[in-house]
Amino acid sequence: MKRRMRRLVLQLTVELGDEFAARWYVDDGPMLDRAAAARAGLGWFGKNGNILTPTLGSWVLLGQIITDLPLVPDQPLVKTCGQCSRCIPSCPTDAIVAPYVVDNRRCISFLTIEHDGVIPIELRSAMGNLVFGCDICQEICPVNRKALATEDANFGRRDLSSLDLIELLEMTEQEFRQRFAGTPIMRAGWLGMRRNACIALGNSGDRAAAPALRSALHDPAAMVRQHAAWALGMVGGEAAREALNAAMATEADLRARDEIQLALGKEGSERI
């Protein structure tokens, strides 16, 4: 997108025969993209906090060019979601706390991509098998259901449904970089994606994941060990119990020990 925006600025310079100051941003500028888009009349704010355009819904990427070029501004759209609020109850973690208000601390997209720490225990089960982002509040939106998929290969949606969670968890950092270099997944990072894989494996309840999770209990990163312990508690079984007991004997990190105790205790008793 930035390359295209730069070409637009250069083209305008040629056509107008005059130079002007301009800077272009995509998700990294000083202004909120969605607010600028609403003021520019590109769309309106949906109750899930996204900008809804009349033809493409919220399936758009936003960028902005800040310039001193004198332009006649477009007017904001006179349109709202009306009585529709389907997105609010659809959120698995109740992150849409009120119309137009999203608590990013509960949002799966934020937690799996931007958040670089431990994911709260009370939110993990609701995350299901989502390891990179969440589009549920967009998928249920009636405006989005009318939008056509892009034919531009540069913006096609990559299918991550075939992502092997055990393979992801067992990847070295070098393997991760080789596999996902140049993709948005790099935003979540190697540790973040392995943390997310632990949660998804725990929610799957698949005991075939126990060996990989048992190995993750000895990962150098305490954050991965914590989520692996929780996942083993969810998966359950004798192998999981043995792995957790063995890890407790050597684990030095206090938060990881707490996770192991929870997995072995009351919260995991029904499965363990």
Side-chain angles (χ1 to χ4, degrees), residues 211-230:
L213 292 168
R214 180 172 60 244
S215 296
L217 282 177
H218 305 285
D219 193 89
M223 181 175 71
V224 174
R225 299 199 303 273
Q226 291 174 50
H227 292 81
W230 177 86

Side-chain angles (χ1 to χ4, degrees), residues 37 44 67 74 93 144 151 170-171 181 210-211 239 248-249 262 270:
W44 69 96
T67 178
D74 292 322
T93 55
N144 281 334
E151 296 181 357
E170 294 179 335
M171 277 185 184
M248 179 61 83
L262 285 173
E270 294 182 3

Side-chain angles (χ1 to χ4, degrees), residues 7-240:
R7 287 199 300 267
L8 173 61
V9 170
L10 293 176
Q11 182 181 349
L12 286 174
T13 301
V14 172
E15 292 185 3
L16 295 174
D18 191 14
E19 291 190 0
F20 53 88
R23 292 180 180 273
W24 43 91
Y25 302 96
V26 178
D27 202 27
D28 60 355
M31 301 194 319
L32 180 64
D33 291 341
R34 290 171 295 140
R39 291 197 301 272
L42 294 179
W44 69 96
F45 271 101
K47 292 177 182 177
N48 59 6
N50 289 315
I51 286 294
L52 294 170
T53 66
T55 56
L56 297 173
S58 58
W59 300 124
V60 294
L61 298 176
L62 298 175
Q64 49 185 302
I65 297 174
I66 300 178
T67 178
D68 61 359
L69 186 67
L71 298 170
V72 178
D74 292 322
Q75 295 301 310
L77 296 181
V78 184
K79 192 172 178 63
T80 69
C81 294
Q83 297 300 313
C84 180
S85 58
R86 296 182 189 180
C87 58
I88 296 177
S90 75
C91 179
T93 55
D94 297 322
I96 308 175
V97 296
Y100 314 106
V101 181
V102 178
D103 183 348
N104 71 331
R105 297 169 300 177
R106 302 184 65 86
C107 176
I108 294 175
S109 285
F110 172 80
L111 291 171
T112 57
I113 301 175
E114 307 297 342
H115 183 56
D116 60 2
V118 174
I119 292 179
I121 292 176
E122 64 271 18
L123 300 179
R124 296 175 191 171
S125 294
M127 292 171 62
N129 64 350
L130 299 173
V131 296
F132 187 80
C134 174
D135 290 328
I136 291 175
C137 69
Q138 297 190 84
E139 291 168 346
I140 201 168
C141 176
V143 178
N144 281 334
R145 293 181 179 180
K146 303 174 184 177
L148 298 177
T150 180
E151 296 181 357
D152 189 328
N154 291 304
F155 298 106
R157 186 173 181 175
R158 295 189 61 174
D159 182 15
L160 299 179
S161 61
S162 61
L163 195 62
D164 188 296
L165 295 175
I166 293 178
E167 179 186 359
L168 178 60
L169 178 58
E170 294 179 335
M171 277 185 184
T172 65
E173 186 171 9
Q174 182 179 0
E175 291 170 339
F176 178 83
R177 292 184 178 277
Q178 290 175 342
R179 172 80 179 274
F180 300 113
T183 73
I185 285 182
M186 293 300 294
R187 291 175 60 185
W190 175 56
L191 291 179
M193 288 299 291
R194 293 170 67 232
R195 169 203 63 194
N196 300 343
C198 285
I199 293 176
L201 288 170
N203 286 329
S204 75
D206 186 357
R207 293 188 176 181
L213 292 168
R214 180 172 60 244
S215 296
L217 282 177
H218 305 285
D219 193 89
M223 181 175 71
V224 174
R225 299 199 303 273
Q226 291 174 50
H227 292 81
W230 177 86
L232 281 169
M234 295 292 289
V235 168
E238 186 59 31

Side-chain angles (χ1 to χ4, degrees), residues 231-269:
L232 281 169
M234 295 292 289
V235 168
E238 186 59 31
R241 176 177 287 279
E242 291 177 359
L244 290 165
N245 279 320
M248 179 61 83
T250 59
E251 181 58 68
D253 184 86
L254 294 179
R255 295 188 68 175
R257 290 181 65 86
D258 288 343
E259 292 271 9
I260 294 172
Q261 288 177 334
L262 285 173
L264 286 169
K266 182 177 180 180
E267 292 192 14
S269 62

